[in-house]
Amino acid sequence: MMRTRPLKVALLGCGVVGSEVARIMTTHADDLTARIGAPVELAGVAVRRPSKVREGIDPALVTTDATALVKRGDIDVVVEVIGGIEPARTLITTAFEHGASVVSANKALLAQDGAALHAAAVEHGRDLYYEAAVAGAIPLIRPLRESLAGDKVNRVLGIVNGTTNFILDKMDSTGAGYQEALDEATALGYAEADPTADVEGFDAAAKAAILAGIAFHTRVRLDDVYREGMTEVTAADFSSARQMGCTIKLLAICERAADGGSVTARVHPAMIPLDHPLASVRGAYNAVFVEAEAAGQLMFYGPGAGGAPTASAVLGDLVAVCRNKLSGSTGPGESAYTQLPVSPMGDVVTRYHISLDVADKPGVLAQVATVFAEHGVSIDTVRQSGKDGEASLVVVTHRAADADLTGTVDALRKLDTVRGVASIMRVEGE
């Protein structure tokens, strides 16, 4: 039986994503009513600049007092798309206290304080949904949290930032340098005026923390995630990658240890083989590769950012939360029963590609190989080229712990025949 009294929605933020949420709520109102079992009504929109014209939104709904809006008491669902830590955190907890469930796209806040927010939601019997916080329109959190709830996920490997993927793809396909590719990304609107959060890996690290927590049923905070940006990746690195049959991607990697006793979460550039599914992800798209014990290998692919794609994920959560509201129930909350520790990066085992600038004379390769052997790092392949007394030596290792590799590189730098370490990059996806 259809309920005629509408469910009231408060929208916090009306920028690129928020305006799309409002638009879809209006243009698809009849469909949303049919899917939910009751109409939904946009009851208020909190913004910082009320004078700005917002097409399709009744100016009477616009307010600068977000706190008063979430405290009204008649709000059923609060949609938070303002981002940042504060005032978003206080507004969300206040919404719970005053009877509203919350749909959020706030990856930074969830990565930092997800446990506290989940606890507040449980305390007040409310929902906290956040599909839009990771990978835009791609259904990812709900499959991990619900569809794979009966399985054991061992690894999540993905491209979760469209800006960096666009830049790296442009460098790979055209031979452009980093700055040239970044300038194009900025001109096309893929990169912010200050791209630091993207290119230095902060955005991807927040998403990795969220994914690791859900996949492994343990608490992983942003501070637990090893982070390395991609600003030092060069055209020469792509040339080396191509010679290995690889390309370079900025990856978020979340893994369960082989013995099941710990997890790791990290973000960094890595070479991946061209035949790996993630290698073909082009432009500003996102893709996440999930490896589960029973389900096997799964890949989720699609647009990872933008107003309409992100709003699609927000509206999907809104429908689910409204359905729960009508039935008097709540959806799945935090699952952190495993309480697994997060291992440091030094314990991570992977392959490495190391490019050295060395003197072009006999015995150099033997010296370098001796250093690797002394630190217990096995060499897979070596490639040397050079002339006029200078040479480039590229070493690709077998799998080794990060701590062992760090000691190896420190020792290499002390050799008189090594002029410098041009680059170090991990090799993943094999």
Side-chain angles (χ1 to χ4, degrees):
M1 180 177 178
M2 183 73 69
R3 189 179 100 161
T4 57
R5 184 172 67 82
L7 292 160
K8 295 189 175 184
V9 178
L11 179 61
L12 307 184
C14 198
V16 173
V17 176
S19 60
E20 279 296 308
V21 170
R23 182 189 67 80
I24 295 172
M25 284 184 65
T26 301
T27 58
H28 295 180
D30 291 343
D31 287 334
L32 291 172
T33 297
R35 294 167 190 173
I36 292 169
V40 288
E41 173 189 317
L42 187 59
V45 182
V47 300
R48 285 183 295 178
R49 295 184 296 275
S51 60
K52 180 180 178 181
V53 176
R54 294 172 172 85
E55 186 177 349
I57 296 177
D58 183 351
L61 297 178
V62 176
T63 178
T64 57
D65 194 342
T67 301
L69 179 59
V70 300
K71 282 184 173 181
R72 273 177 38 172
D74 65 336
I75 300 297
D76 295 291
V77 184
V78 169
V79 174
E80 183 273 307
V81 288
I82 57 177
I85 305 303
E86 287 292 357
R89 173 170 48 198
T90 299
L91 290 170
I92 289 173
T93 55
T94 302
F96 291 145
E97 292 166 1
H98 287 80
S101 290
V102 173
V103 173
S104 176
N106 196 331
K107 54 189 170 288
L109 177 58
L110 289 159
Q112 179 171 306
D113 287 324
L117 294 178
H118 276 293
V122 170
E123 179 185 354
H124 297 286
R126 308 301 170 198
D127 272 324
L128 174 62
Y129 276 51
Y130 43 92
E131 184 67 62
V134 180
I138 304 171
L140 181 58
I141 289 177
R142 191 171 287 116
L144 282 172
R145 193 160 69 168
E146 299 179 29
S147 303
L148 295 173
D151 207 341
K152 181 181 180 182
V153 176
N154 291 316
R155 194 175 197 226
V156 180
L157 170 77
I159 298 164
V160 295
N161 183 278
T163 300
T164 55
N165 198 60
F166 178 89
I167 293 169
L168 292 172
D169 181 42
K170 186 61 62 173
M171 292 176 69
D172 187 21
S173 60
T174 69
Y178 166 75
Q179 189 60 50
E180 182 183 352
L182 172 60
D183 290 344
E184 182 171 351
T186 303
L188 292 172
Y190 292 129
E192 301 287 345
D194 179 1
T196 303
D198 294 322
V199 299
E200 293 295 352
F202 291 102
D203 175 85
K207 295 170 182 176
I210 294 169
L211 291 175
I214 296 170
F216 307 134
H217 303 276
T218 196
R219 286 178 179 165
V220 180
R221 299 181 72 252
L222 180 59
D223 292 345
D224 296 321
V225 181
Y226 173 84
R227 178 194 55 78
E228 204 177 294
M230 41 76 70
T231 58
E232 300 301 318
V233 176
T234 66
D237 292 325
F238 275 102
S239 178
S240 291
R242 282 191 289 274
Q243 292 181 46
M244 291 178 57
C246 293
T247 188
I248 299 170
K249 300 291 186 181
L250 184 76
L251 299 178
I253 305 170
C254 312
E255 293 179 304
R256 189 190 301 267
D259 63 4
S262 64
V263 299
T264 58
R266 50 197 166 102
V267 168
H268 54 72
M271 294 182 179
I272 57 172
L274 292 174
D275 59 1
H276 191 281
L278 292 179
S280 61
V281 178
R282 311 301 297 270
Y285 275 70
N286 284 191
V288 178
F289 204 71
V290 177
E291 299 175 11
E293 201 165 84
Q297 297 179 330
L298 308 169
M299 183 167 163
F300 301 84
Y301 170 83
T310 306
S312 171
V314 170
L315 267 295
D317 279 351
L318 179 63
V319 168
V321 169
C322 286
R323 286 171 175 171
N324 292 342
K325 190 85 173 182
L326 290 178
S327 67
S329 64
T330 56
E334 182 189 37
S335 175
Y337 73 92
T338 63
Q339 300 182 27
L340 295 173
V342 181
S343 295
M345 188 62 190
D347 293 346
V348 171
V349 175
T350 188
R351 297 180 66 204
Y352 291 87
H353 175 282
I354 305 103
S355 179
L356 305 172
D357 294 326
V358 299
D360 186 16
K361 62 182 184 180
V364 173
L365 179 56
Q367 287 183 331
V368 169
T370 297
V371 170
F372 276 89
E374 288 174 347
H375 288 81
V377 178
S378 176
I379 295 175
D380 182 19
T381 62
V382 177
R383 186 175 68 254
Q384 185 172 2
S385 61
K387 61 181 180 179
D388 299 329
E390 299 296 329
S392 174
L393 187 65
V394 174
V395 178
V396 179
T397 74
H398 287 292
R399 291 173 64 82
D402 187 85
D404 295 333
L405 197 281
T406 299
T408 304
V409 172
D410 288 343
L412 288 171
R413 288 193 169 104
K414 295 175 182 177
L415 293 177
D416 292 338
T417 52
V418 174
R419 309 294 193 224
V421 180
S423 69
I424 304 170
M425 193 168 296
R426 296 167 183 87
V427 182
E428 301 284 349
E430 296 184 317

